[in-house]
Amino acid sequence: LLLLVDGHAEKLVMGIDLKAGGRKKNTQRTAPKSENVYLLLLVKLYRFLARRTDSQFNKIVLKRLFMSRINRPPMSLSRISKFMKGKDGIAVLVGTVTDDIRLLDVPKLRICALRFTDSARARILRAGGECLTFDQLALQCPAGEGTVLLRGPKNARESVKHFGSPGASGAHVKPYVRSKGRKFEKARGRRRSKGFKVKA
């Protein structure tokens, strides 16, 4: 398209309509933010394995090693034992394995994780299981064969329950209230006798 300006033609160049937030292209991490030397050594190891093997497992583990702590949620022994029921192999979790006192009998499990709480580690070993680190896993299963890759529940944090607007119609958002009782956020908008009631 040409436009005549002061007697000479100028070419019109179309722009692009940027949405709010701009045109961010590279938003995923390419290295961890942490300066933990042991984590950085694991990244070096899995970067090599992801490059030199055709295994998708190594690529996923590498990506999860880069993640922030919120994106590496912990997983309890009871949840791991539920997922490993009837399966052989090593449960792999890029995160922390925690204990669950509600689980009375811990089955024999082989688990590889970044961290184990002391009580979780003691219970796994007492049951005849094994607690592996990622460098040990790389020696045993370089391509991730015979493993079950797991991840913890990301939205199980208390703060996630508060996301959104608690007063909105149809919302099941937990309000930040000092206490639960007659005097606390139970008047306007909560009952018909106090102005109006928001329909759930």
Side-chain angles (χ1 to χ4, degrees), residues 12-185:
L12 284 178
V13 182
M14 284 190 71
I16 53 166
D17 190 10
L18 290 180
K19 289 193 174 122
R23 200 152 140 259
K24 291 181 187 168
K25 284 195 170 175
N26 305 324
T27 52
Q28 66 272 23
R29 287 185 180 188
T30 53
K33 285 273 177 83
S34 168
E35 291 173 5
N36 185 329
V37 286
Y38 300 107
L39 182 66
L40 295 176
L41 282 169
L42 283 183
V43 165
K44 195 175 270 193
L45 168 65
Y46 274 90
R47 223 189 265 280
F48 172 79
L49 288 172
R51 191 178 75 245
R52 295 297 295 270
T53 62
D54 293 329
S55 163
Q56 195 62 31
F57 172 85
N58 289 327
K59 290 182 176 66
I60 293 168
V61 168
L62 177 66
K63 191 174 83 172
R64 290 187 190 177
L65 286 170
F66 297 159
M67 288 182 178
S68 62
R69 220 167 104 186
I70 283 174
N71 291 315
R72 286 187 282 106
M75 205 170 187
S76 67
L77 271 180
S78 57
R79 199 177 270 262
I80 293 172
S81 62
K82 184 180 82 175
F83 285 126
M84 294 304 289
K85 193 174 248 180
K87 287 179 190 163
D88 284 332
I90 304 168
V92 179
L93 173 75
V94 185
T96 306
V97 174
T98 57
D99 189 15
D100 191 348
I101 54 170
R102 297 167 298 183
L103 182 70
L104 301 175
D105 299 315
V106 178
K108 187 179 176 182
L109 294 165
R110 294 181 75 204
I111 305 173
C112 170
L114 282 179
R115 268 186 72 239
F116 294 87
T117 62
D118 291 340
S119 53
R121 187 188 292 275
R123 290 187 77 186
I124 293 163
L125 296 174
R126 205 180 304 131
E130 208 178 342
C131 298
L132 298 166
T133 55
F134 275 94
D135 49 325
Q136 290 171 325
L137 182 76
L139 289 170
Q140 289 184 29
C141 320
E145 62 278 6
T147 59
V148 179
L149 191 57
L150 303 171
R151 68 205 302 198
K154 194 183 154 193
N155 291 335
R157 291 186 306 139
E158 170 63 25
S159 55
V160 176
K161 293 177 185 175
H162 296 282
F163 292 169
S165 9
S169 182
H172 297 284
V173 179
K174 192 175 183 180
Y176 287 107
V177 202
R178 192 163 31 123
S179 207
K180 189 168 181 178
R182 176 189 54 80
K183 298 190 287 186
F184 305 98
E185 298 195 9

